[in-house]
Amino acid sequence: MSDQIKEWHQQAAKRYREKGYWQPLHLGEQLRQWTQRHGDRIALVEGEQRFSYNELDQRVDAMAAGLHRLGLRCGDRVLLQLPNSVAFVVTAFALFRLGVIPVMMMMANREKDIDAFCALAEPVAYITTATFLGFHHRSLAEKAQKRHACLRYVLIDGTCTDDRGVPRQVSCTDRAFAADAQPDATDTAVLLLSGGTTGTSKLIPRTHADYAFNARASAQLCGFDAETVYLAALPVAHNFPLACPGVIGTFSAGGTVVLARSPAYEEAFPLIERERVTHTALVPPLVTLWLNACEWERPDLSSLALLQVGGSALDPKLAARVRPTLGCRLQQVFGMAEGLLCYTRLDDPEEVILHTQGRPLCIDDEVRLVDGNGRDVPAGEAGELLVRGPYTIRGYYRAEEQNRASFTEEGYYRSGDWVRLTPEGNFVVEGRIKDIINRAGEKIAAPEIETLLKAHPDIQDAALVPLPDEHLGERSCVFVMTAGATLDLPAVRSFLLARGVARHKVPDQLEIIDFWPLTGAGKIDKRKLVAMAAG
Ligand code: OOB
């Protein structure tokens, strides 16, 4: 980073503090403040369990004390792999309070991802649950501990087994941690996963101050208040339901978070009815399922005021069905774990809500659209979206080389999204120039899978491309060149699964190819591959 850009960062940080975007509190203290304001109101609901802000705050303290007694300290990293649950929320805030940094894993992450996160972040602990959806997470964690010396503790459902094999409940009432080192608001609070464009995993360091702003400003934009009942249907380890405004934004407004184990309508509809849910967030493929289910389920969704939809392209025809079917407003969200959030506004004209992905959350989000040579495109034309601002990262975690490619000299993040600006100032996402598959909102880095497949004895070369899919938005199709060997999809899939690849990253379709279509620059022409698969 040049001296000039360092100077810019310092100036910008000063501005963000002066404007009140960055508050001098870590997320653990933020929860304390929200508790002081909203103490007896209900903060969290899971099944039959209901916790007021006071009760939640006490549980967070007890968990923080237990984790501290175990030996976790400010600045340590831990792997957090829990489903939507009280345990997730309590543990996350306990870690924030200690300044211990969680890697926000998805339940679908397997050995391959775990190995990458361990190599990169050197976590001291792995916090998870015994089983989820029939999968034994206990054994995943215990095996990871054998492979990675950095993992001193494995915590299963709040219980840690010490080196003599004695299990012990972690939560306790010891308050010694309060006197210990506290994180600064500008320290990293959390490491989010990046969909990535490369073969190596990247982690996204979000600070306490920027993440609290992200959640609070989003909550204000979405009109959240103490009456808000937010249904966390998507997995809360994801940025969207965690902080856009999600769980953290709801707490900032004194509202209630209702946790769903899965985003399936069979689970969500009864919760919306019972808890009188007002707000929730989905990815487009789930919107299709929810809307279709309304035709035969006839649920009472009258409490619902707003459905946020983001993570991948929303078909305007589907968007147009939301209000008539669910009876609530729609908001399009175009966001990224790296920071920038674009929202359609609640009072935008129907046309804008149905056909655009909105505009940035904050007036200090600096956005540029550039052509292939890095020059600003003329008004109305599409270009790659670059961004810097109060809640957009300045670099990936421990990834200097990658950062030189992903950020400009002026500190802008290169999103890889190909975007156009309408005359009214809203963004329309037209495509992307990054090498990923956006499968139902889950991002798959093509090079990660290609590199693994090239190690297969019968595969000479492989290229993973997105194909349009009615249900998923995009599905992944792998083209492989074999040395005449016969190969089928199940064989390819089991090869990858045996290497610990998460199930959603395993290709949906296989095509065998005899020659590669090439670009002018001599690279595999993925556009042509997509066209070939289409017909
Ligand atoms: C969200 O975050 P990520 O980090 O999983 O993925 C970011 C990428 C964007 O760069 C873009 O390529 C795509 O997902 N994307 C969309 C989109 N929203 C995200 N593409 C088209 N239309 C949209 N509305 O996906 C995310 C983070 C926070 C809030 C919402 C989504």
Side-chain angles (χ1 to χ4, degrees):
M1 214 185 270
S2 72
D3 286 347
Q4 207 182 348
I5 186 67
K6 272 194 201 136
E7 168 76 17
W8 183 88
H9 284 322
Q10 279 170 5
Q11 292 293 333
K14 189 161 163 275
R15 217 169 51 238
Y16 300 153
R17 273 191 283 268
E18 283 167 3
K19 290 196 165 192
Y21 301 156
W22 291 1
Q23 298 182 344
L25 297 178
H26 60 70
L27 283 163
E29 293 167 323
Q30 294 277 7
L31 178 65
R32 189 88 76 209
Q33 228 184 36
W34 303 328
T35 301
Q36 278 156 8
R37 267 183 233 148
H38 307 288
D40 288 333
R41 300 193 71 96
I42 297 297
L44 194 58
V45 177
E46 183 197 352
E48 298 310 312
Q49 304 181 78
R50 313 175 84 79
F51 298 97
S52 67
Y53 278 83
N54 282 328
E55 288 163 335
L56 174 63
D57 194 55
Q58 280 163 16
R59 286 193 165 229
V60 168
D61 264 348
M63 179 55 84
L67 292 171
H68 184 267
R69 191 153 74 178
L70 199 63
L72 299 196
R73 291 294 177 271
C74 187
D76 284 344
R77 280 83 51 211
V78 305
L79 302 181
L80 184 64
Q81 190 176 37
L82 288 173
N84 289 6
S85 55
V86 170
F88 178 98
V89 177
V90 168
T91 309
F93 275 94
L95 294 169
F96 297 152
R97 214 159 253 181
L98 293 172
V100 177
I101 306 166
V103 176
M104 289 291 182
M105 289 173 59
M106 297 293 144
M107 292 314 286
N109 288 135
R110 295 288 180 265
E111 290 88 342
K112 172 94 183 11
D113 303 304
I114 294 165
D115 290 350
F117 304 148
C118 285
L120 190 56
E122 300 167 290
V124 298
Y126 191 150
I127 303 180
T128 187
T129 183
T131 57
F132 182 68
L133 298 179
F135 183 82
H136 289 275
H137 286 271
R138 175 195 294 278
S139 105
L140 188 67
E142 287 173 353
K143 283 186 190 150
Q145 191 176 30
K146 294 210 173 76
R147 290 196 305 279
H148 299 281
C150 58
L151 286 173
R152 281 183 276 145
Y153 320 102
V154 168
L155 269 77
I156 312 282
D157 297 319
T159 299
C160 187
T161 306
D162 68 18
D163 43 15
R164 286 161 301 154
V166 181
R168 153 160 91 86
Q169 198 67 26
V170 167
S171 177
C172 73
T173 49
D174 180 354
R175 304 213 19 138
F177 78 91
D180 211 51
Q182 295 261 322
D184 189 84
T186 53
D187 287 343
T188 299
V190 42
L191 290 166
L192 300 175
L193 306 193
S194 155
T197 52
T198 56
T200 48
S201 293
K202 296 196 297 281
L203 294 172
I204 298 171
R206 302 292 301 265
T207 68
H208 291 269
D210 95 60
Y211 215 44
F213 172 67
N214 185 114
R216 187 177 67 243
S218 296
Q220 280 160 6
L221 185 145
C222 296
F224 280 30
D225 59 22
E227 304 303 319
T228 295
V229 181
Y230 177 83
L231 178 72
L234 294 171
V236 289
H238 193 282
N239 184 37
F240 187 13
L242 184 59
C244 310
V247 174
I248 302 179
T250 305
F251 290 162
S252 79
T256 302
V257 171
V258 176
L259 296 164
R261 279 259 151 171
S262 96
Y265 66 86
E266 294 94 327
E267 170 140 9
F269 288 173
L271 281 174
I272 296 173
E273 286 186 12
R274 193 185 80 187
E275 302 295 338
R276 305 294 295 159
V277 167
T278 57
H279 295 73
T280 192
L282 293 177
V283 291
L286 286 165
V287 179
T288 311
L289 296 176
W290 280 34
L291 292 183
N292 291 348
C294 280
E295 284 171 21
W296 64 82
E297 289 275 319
R298 307 237 164 260
D300 172 11
L301 305 180
S302 55
S303 57
L304 212 51
L306 183 73
L307 174 67
Q308 304 181 280
V309 181
S312 62
L314 176 65
D315 178 357
K317 286 197 290 296
L318 183 62
R321 287 174 57 204
V322 169
R323 199 198 261 269
T325 314
L326 300 181
C328 68
R329 270 191 254 226
L330 169 71
Q331 176 185 58
Q332 292 215 38
V333 187
F334 162 44
M336 50 204 73
E338 285 81 358
L340 179 72
L341 299 170
C342 297
Y343 292 104
T344 57
R345 303 310 198 250
L346 304 186
D347 57 358
D348 271 341
E350 191 77 354
E351 182 67 17
V352 168
I353 294 175
L354 297 185
H355 294 278
T356 83
Q357 283 67 56
R359 50 195 181 278
L361 168 63
C362 177
I363 44 165
D364 283 296
D365 284 320
E366 300 171 61
V367 174
R368 291 175 55 194
L369 299 181
V370 300
D371 65 19
N373 298 316
R375 281 191 293 262
D376 293 292
V377 297
E381 282 184 23
E384 184 188 5
L385 181 142
L386 309 184
V387 58
R388 64 181 186 187
Y391 59 99
T392 295
I393 55 162
R394 302 290 146 84
Y396 289 105
Y397 183 70
R398 296 182 172 175
E400 250 176 65
E401 195 180 324
Q402 183 61 44
N403 287 340
R404 279 193 286 278
S406 297
F407 295 82
T408 71
E409 303 233 312
E410 298 80 34
Y412 284 86
Y413 166 60
R414 298 181 202 271
S415 73
D417 291 313
W418 200 249
V419 171
R420 171 168 67 79
L421 193 61
T422 67
E424 295 75 35
N426 290 296
F427 289 121
V428 175
V429 182
E430 299 218 316
R432 67 176 102 88
I433 54 170
K434 49 187 171 188
D435 199 5
I436 65 161
I437 289 87
N438 189 337
R439 186 182 189 274
E442 302 268 16
K443 317 304 184 298
I444 306 165
E448 179 187 336
I449 303 303
E450 291 160 359
T451 305
L452 284 171
L453 284 176
K454 283 177 207 167
H456 189 290
D458 293 332
I459 294 179
Q460 290 180 326
D461 208 351
L464 194 73
V465 297
L467 296 184
D469 186 275
E470 196 191 335
H471 304 291
L472 300 165
E474 292 176 12
R475 66 176 181 275
S476 63
C477 173
V478 68
F479 281 81
V480 298
M481 202 188 270
T482 65
T486 48
L487 204 60
D488 59 11
L489 184 62
V492 167
R493 290 176 62 95
S494 32
F495 175 79
L496 290 171
L497 289 173
R499 270 148 198 79
V501 173
R503 196 162 281 276
H504 67 274
K505 295 189 196 170
V506 170
D508 298 304
Q509 188 176 330
L510 171 76
E511 299 287 338
I512 310 281
I513 197 165
D514 298 322
F515 68 93
W516 291 112
L518 297 179
T519 64
K523 287 208 228 163
I524 293 180
D525 189 339
K526 289 197 167 180
R527 279 169 200 249
K528 287 229 175 80
L529 291 178
V530 172
M532 285 162 68

